[in-house]
Amino acid sequence: MGEQLLEIFHAHPQGAIIISLLLSIAVAVAGILPSVFITAANILFFGFWEGLLMSFIGEALGAVAAFVLYRKGFKKAMTTPLHKYPRVERLIAAKGKEAFLLIMGLRLLPFVPSGLVTFAGAIGNVSLLTFVLASSLGKVPALFIEAYSVYQITEFGWQGKLILALIACVLIYWVVSHTKQKPK
């Protein structure tokens, strides 16, 4: 997906910024799609720092758009608590400083879905300003790590990519073999 986006950027260099930002907003609103392919294309097309900045702006705009849309569409309809995620449930009731710290903390955790944090903030009592500041600050470290990882992988020679692929295969095998239920 990242390669296809990169091809689009090269075909339309004058529109690459707008395309990147619109895709980032769409990914954020969808709430379940990964943004790493956009970050990868941004890094490869714009360069590391400019690509990182584009990804940050896109994710920040996307979070705001998703927050506003979720708030308008779901706040009144949502009554079921999110029992599976106690911190997210706490975020729904939080205000002010507590909401700020919860959003920022949840954005720092890579295993908490970004869309879930946005959704919980939108249906909760968090102000838009608090959400934007906390969300943006929380995204900085995670986005930097993501961008740096993408950059390093693109700098690998074929040997490094082969080693990375082998490690990924071993990890996938290990996860699959340990998640299967063993007969009793």
Side-chain angles (χ1 to χ4, degrees), residues 2 9-10 49-50 62 67 69 72 79 81 103 111 114 126-127 134 160 182-183:
F9 286 173
H10 284 296
W49 292 108
E50 291 84 2
F67 181 89
L69 289 172
K72 289 198 180 295
T79 56
I103 292 167
F111 53 86
S114 184
V126 180
S127 72
K182 298 182 180 173

PDB file of all heavy atoms in Angstrom, residues 2 9-10 49-50 62 67 69 72 79 81 103 111 114 126-127 134 160 182-183:
ATOM      1  N   GLY A   2       1.956   1.224   0.769  1.00  0.00           N
ATOM      2  CA  GLY A   2       2.863   2.362   0.826  1.00  0.00           C
ATOM      3  C   GLY A   2       3.526   2.628  -0.517  1.00  0.00           C
ATOM      4  O   GLY A   2       3.724   3.780  -0.907  1.00  0.00           O
ATOM      5  N   PHE A   9       2.248   9.807  -5.299  1.00  0.00           N
ATOM      6  CA  PHE A   9       2.998  11.034  -4.991  1.00  0.00           C
ATOM      7  C   PHE A   9       3.904  11.426  -6.163  1.00  0.00           C
ATOM      8  O   PHE A   9       3.991  12.591  -6.527  1.00  0.00           O
ATOM      9  CB  PHE A   9       3.845  10.867  -3.729  1.00  0.00           C
ATOM     10  CG  PHE A   9       3.083  10.870  -2.438  1.00  0.00           C
ATOM     11  CD1 PHE A   9       3.740  10.580  -1.255  1.00  0.00           C
ATOM     12  CD2 PHE A   9       1.725  11.149  -2.373  1.00  0.00           C
ATOM     13  CE1 PHE A   9       3.070  10.592  -0.033  1.00  0.00           C
ATOM     14  CE2 PHE A   9       1.041  11.155  -1.175  1.00  0.00           C
ATOM     15  CZ  PHE A   9       1.713  10.875   0.007  1.00  0.00           C
ATOM     16  N   HIS A  10       4.607  10.426  -6.725  1.00  0.00           N
ATOM     17  CA  HIS A  10       5.509  10.719  -7.842  1.00  0.00           C
ATOM     18  C   HIS A  10       4.739  11.147  -9.090  1.00  0.00           C
ATOM     19  O   HIS A  10       5.222  11.991  -9.853  1.00  0.00           O
ATOM     20  CB  HIS A  10       6.401   9.516  -8.159  1.00  0.00           C
ATOM     21  CG  HIS A  10       7.511   9.334  -7.177  1.00  0.00           C
ATOM     22  ND1 HIS A  10       8.513  10.252  -7.001  1.00  0.00           N
ATOM     23  CD2 HIS A  10       7.770   8.327  -6.300  1.00  0.00           C
ATOM     24  CE1 HIS A  10       9.348   9.838  -6.068  1.00  0.00           C
ATOM     25  NE2 HIS A  10       8.909   8.672  -5.616  1.00  0.00           N
ATOM     26  N   TRP A  49      12.655  14.336   7.902  1.00  0.00           N
ATOM     27  CA  TRP A  49      12.061  15.362   8.756  1.00  0.00           C
ATOM     28  C   TRP A  49      10.783  15.947   8.165  1.00  0.00           C
ATOM     29  O   TRP A  49       9.792  16.132   8.869  1.00  0.00           O
ATOM     30  CB  TRP A  49      13.067  16.465   9.082  1.00  0.00           C
ATOM     31  CG  TRP A  49      14.162  15.950   9.959  1.00  0.00           C
ATOM     32  CD1 TRP A  49      15.461  15.711   9.605  1.00  0.00           C
ATOM     33  CD2 TRP A  49      14.041  15.556  11.325  1.00  0.00           C
ATOM     34  NE1 TRP A  49      16.144  15.196  10.673  1.00  0.00           N
ATOM     35  CE2 TRP A  49      15.302  15.091  11.755  1.00  0.00           C
ATOM     36  CE3 TRP A  49      12.987  15.541  12.243  1.00  0.00           C
ATOM     37  CZ2 TRP A  49      15.547  14.627  13.029  1.00  0.00           C
ATOM     38  CZ3 TRP A  49      13.235  15.082  13.537  1.00  0.00           C
ATOM     39  CH2 TRP A  49      14.494  14.636  13.910  1.00  0.00           C
ATOM     40  N   GLU A  50      10.810  16.207   6.868  1.00  0.00           N
ATOM     41  CA  GLU A  50       9.607  16.751   6.226  1.00  0.00           C
ATOM     42  C   GLU A  50       8.491  15.699   6.210  1.00  0.00           C
ATOM     43  O   GLU A  50       7.322  16.022   6.417  1.00  0.00           O
ATOM     44  CB  GLU A  50       9.916  17.219   4.796  1.00  0.00           C
ATOM     45  CG  GLU A  50      10.802  18.437   4.734  1.00  0.00           C
ATOM     46  CD  GLU A  50      12.301  18.105   4.832  1.00  0.00           C
ATOM     47  OE1 GLU A  50      12.676  16.909   4.911  1.00  0.00           O
ATOM     48  OE2 GLU A  50      13.108  19.050   4.845  1.00  0.00           O
ATOM     49  N   GLY A  62      -6.376  14.495  11.290  1.00  0.00           N
ATOM     50  CA  GLY A  62      -7.260  13.335  11.268  1.00  0.00           C
ATOM     51  C   GLY A  62      -7.920  13.088  12.610  1.00  0.00           C
ATOM     52  O   GLY A  62      -9.116  12.764  12.686  1.00  0.00           O
ATOM     53  N   PHE A  67     -12.634  13.167  15.861  1.00  0.00           N
ATOM     54  CA  PHE A  67     -13.234  13.579  17.129  1.00  0.00           C
ATOM     55  C   PHE A  67     -14.548  14.325  16.888  1.00  0.00           C
ATOM     56  O   PHE A  67     -15.569  14.023  17.495  1.00  0.00           O
ATOM     57  CB  PHE A  67     -12.252  14.461  17.907  1.00  0.00           C
ATOM     58  CG  PHE A  67     -12.755  14.926  19.242  1.00  0.00           C
ATOM     59  CD1 PHE A  67     -12.545  14.165  20.372  1.00  0.00           C
ATOM     60  CD2 PHE A  67     -13.424  16.143  19.375  1.00  0.00           C
ATOM     61  CE1 PHE A  67     -12.996  14.592  21.611  1.00  0.00           C
ATOM     62  CE2 PHE A  67     -13.877  16.569  20.601  1.00  0.00           C
ATOM     63  CZ  PHE A  67     -13.666  15.795  21.726  1.00  0.00           C
ATOM     64  N   LEU A  69     -16.471  14.393  14.156  1.00  0.00           N
ATOM     65  CA  LEU A  69     -17.480  13.530  13.536  1.00  0.00           C
ATOM     66  C   LEU A  69     -18.049  12.516  14.527  1.00  0.00           C
ATOM     67  O   LEU A  69     -19.259  12.278  14.566  1.00  0.00           O
ATOM     68  CB  LEU A  69     -16.894  12.808  12.323  1.00  0.00           C
ATOM     69  CG  LEU A  69     -16.615  13.692  11.113  1.00  0.00           C
ATOM     70  CD1 LEU A  69     -15.860  12.915  10.041  1.00  0.00           C
ATOM     71  CD2 LEU A  69     -17.918  14.239  10.542  1.00  0.00           C
ATOM     72  N   LYS A  72     -20.394  14.278  16.998  1.00  0.00           N
ATOM     73  CA  LYS A  72     -21.694  14.610  16.401  1.00  0.00           C
ATOM     74  C   LYS A  72     -22.531  13.356  16.149  1.00  0.00           C
ATOM     75  O   LYS A  72     -23.736  13.378  16.319  1.00  0.00           O
ATOM     76  CB  LYS A  72     -21.500  15.371  15.099  1.00  0.00           C
ATOM     77  CG  LYS A  72     -20.987  16.775  15.308  1.00  0.00           C
ATOM     78  CD  LYS A  72     -21.212  17.615  14.076  1.00  0.00           C
ATOM     79  CE  LYS A  72     -20.703  19.014  14.247  1.00  0.00           C
ATOM     80  NZ  LYS A  72     -21.377  19.801  15.231  1.00  0.00           N
ATOM     81  N   THR A  79     -24.450   4.584  24.779  1.00  0.00           N
ATOM     82  CA  THR A  79     -24.764   4.432  26.196  1.00  0.00           C
ATOM     83  C   THR A  79     -24.047   3.233  26.794  1.00  0.00           C
ATOM     84  O   THR A  79     -23.932   3.119  28.004  1.00  0.00           O
ATOM     85  CB  THR A  79     -26.282   4.255  26.413  1.00  0.00           C
ATOM     86  OG1 THR A  79     -26.726   3.149  25.633  1.00  0.00           O
ATOM     87  CG2 THR A  79     -27.033   5.516  26.013  1.00  0.00           C
ATOM     88  N   PRO A  81     -21.073   1.173  28.085  1.00  0.00           N
ATOM     89  CA  PRO A  81     -19.682   1.410  28.484  1.00  0.00           C
ATOM     90  C   PRO A  81     -18.734   0.434  27.780  1.00  0.00           C
ATOM     91  O   PRO A  81     -19.136  -0.631  27.345  1.00  0.00           O
ATOM     92  CB  PRO A  81     -19.673   1.155  29.987  1.00  0.00           C
ATOM     93  CG  PRO A  81     -21.079   0.942  30.388  1.00  0.00           C
ATOM     94  CD  PRO A  81     -21.893   0.707  29.171  1.00  0.00           C
ATOM     95  N   ILE A 103      -5.583  10.826  27.810  1.00  0.00           N
ATOM     96  CA  ILE A 103      -5.461  10.809  26.346  1.00  0.00           C
ATOM     97  C   ILE A 103      -3.993  10.729  25.949  1.00  0.00           C
ATOM     98  O   ILE A 103      -3.606   9.918  25.111  1.00  0.00           O
ATOM     99  CB  ILE A 103      -6.131  12.040  25.707  1.00  0.00           C
ATOM    100  CG1 ILE A 103      -7.643  11.958  25.892  1.00  0.00           C
ATOM    101  CG2 ILE A 103      -5.779  12.160  24.223  1.00  0.00           C
ATOM    102  CD1 ILE A 103      -8.379  13.238  25.576  1.00  0.00           C
ATOM    103  N   PHE A 111      -0.294  -0.406  21.785  1.00  0.00           N
ATOM    104  CA  PHE A 111      -1.289  -1.463  21.627  1.00  0.00           C
ATOM    105  C   PHE A 111      -2.718  -0.983  21.847  1.00  0.00           C
ATOM    106  O   PHE A 111      -3.657  -1.742  21.694  1.00  0.00           O
ATOM    107  CB  PHE A 111      -0.991  -2.645  22.564  1.00  0.00           C
ATOM    108  CG  PHE A 111      -0.817  -2.233  24.005  1.00  0.00           C
ATOM    109  CD1 PHE A 111      -1.905  -2.110  24.835  1.00  0.00           C
ATOM    110  CD2 PHE A 111       0.441  -1.962  24.500  1.00  0.00           C
ATOM    111  CE1 PHE A 111      -1.752  -1.714  26.153  1.00  0.00           C
ATOM    112  CE2 PHE A 111       0.604  -1.573  25.811  1.00  0.00           C
ATOM    113  CZ  PHE A 111      -0.493  -1.446  26.634  1.00  0.00           C
ATOM    114  N   SER A 114      -5.827   3.698  18.190  1.00  0.00           N
ATOM    115  CA  SER A 114      -5.981   5.149  18.123  1.00  0.00           C
ATOM    116  C   SER A 114      -7.441   5.550  17.966  1.00  0.00           C
ATOM    117  O   SER A 114      -7.905   6.509  18.578  1.00  0.00           O
ATOM    118  CB  SER A 114      -5.151   5.688  16.959  1.00  0.00           C
ATOM    119  OG  SER A 114      -5.201   7.071  16.908  1.00  0.00           O
ATOM    120  N   VAL A 126     -14.609  15.321  27.289  1.00  0.00           N
ATOM    121  CA  VAL A 126     -13.374  16.023  26.965  1.00  0.00           C
ATOM    122  C   VAL A 126     -13.673  17.181  26.005  1.00  0.00           C
ATOM    123  O   VAL A 126     -14.415  17.005  25.045  1.00  0.00           O
ATOM    124  CB  VAL A 126     -12.375  15.052  26.291  1.00  0.00           C
ATOM    125  CG1 VAL A 126     -11.084  15.749  25.929  1.00  0.00           C
ATOM    126  CG2 VAL A 126     -12.114  13.859  27.175  1.00  0.00           C
ATOM    127  N   SER A 127     -13.059  18.326  26.261  1.00  0.00           N
ATOM    128  CA  SER A 127     -13.214  19.449  25.321  1.00  0.00           C
ATOM    129  C   SER A 127     -12.339  19.189  24.098  1.00  0.00           C
ATOM    130  O   SER A 127     -11.353  18.452  24.163  1.00  0.00           O
ATOM    131  CB  SER A 127     -12.804  20.764  25.982  1.00  0.00           C
ATOM    132  OG  SER A 127     -11.392  20.819  26.133  1.00  0.00           O
ATOM    133  N   ALA A 134      -3.622  17.032  23.967  1.00  0.00           N
ATOM    134  CA  ALA A 134      -3.153  15.762  24.542  1.00  0.00           C
ATOM    135  C   ALA A 134      -2.869  14.738  23.456  1.00  0.00           C
ATOM    136  O   ALA A 134      -1.857  14.028  23.509  1.00  0.00           O
ATOM    137  CB  ALA A 134      -4.193  15.224  25.521  1.00  0.00           C
ATOM    138  N   GLY A 160      19.803  -7.073   5.133  1.00  0.00           N
ATOM    139  CA  GLY A 160      19.047  -6.616   6.298  1.00  0.00           C
ATOM    140  C   GLY A 160      17.563  -6.912   6.164  1.00  0.00           C
ATOM    141  O   GLY A 160      16.902  -7.313   7.124  1.00  0.00           O
ATOM    142  N   LYS A 182      -4.097 -26.429  22.861  1.00  0.00           N
ATOM    143  CA  LYS A 182      -3.529 -27.770  22.864  1.00  0.00           C
ATOM    144  C   LYS A 182      -4.565 -28.750  23.403  1.00  0.00           C
ATOM    145  O   LYS A 182      -5.280 -28.447  24.337  1.00  0.00           O
ATOM    146  CB  LYS A 182      -2.264 -27.783  23.720  1.00  0.00           C
ATOM    147  CG  LYS A 182      -1.204 -26.857  23.138  1.00  0.00           C
ATOM    148  CD  LYS A 182       0.052 -26.887  23.927  1.00  0.00           C
ATOM    149  CE  LYS A 182       1.027 -25.922  23.255  1.00  0.00           C
ATOM    150  NZ  LYS A 182       2.210 -25.708  23.946  1.00  0.00           N
ATOM    151  N   PRO A 183      -4.640 -29.948  22.789  1.00  0.00           N
ATOM    152  CA  PRO A 183      -5.607 -30.945  23.275  1.00  0.00           C
ATOM    153  C   PRO A 183      -5.266 -31.391  24.690  1.00  0.00           C
ATOM    154  O   PRO A 183      -4.103 -31.495  25.061  1.00  0.00           O
ATOM    155  CB  PRO A 183      -5.481 -32.092  22.280  1.00  0.00           C
ATOM    156  CG  PRO A 183      -4.253 -31.839  21.488  1.00  0.00           C
ATOM    157  CD  PRO A 183      -3.864 -30.405  21.675  1.00  0.00           C
TER     158      PRO A 183
END
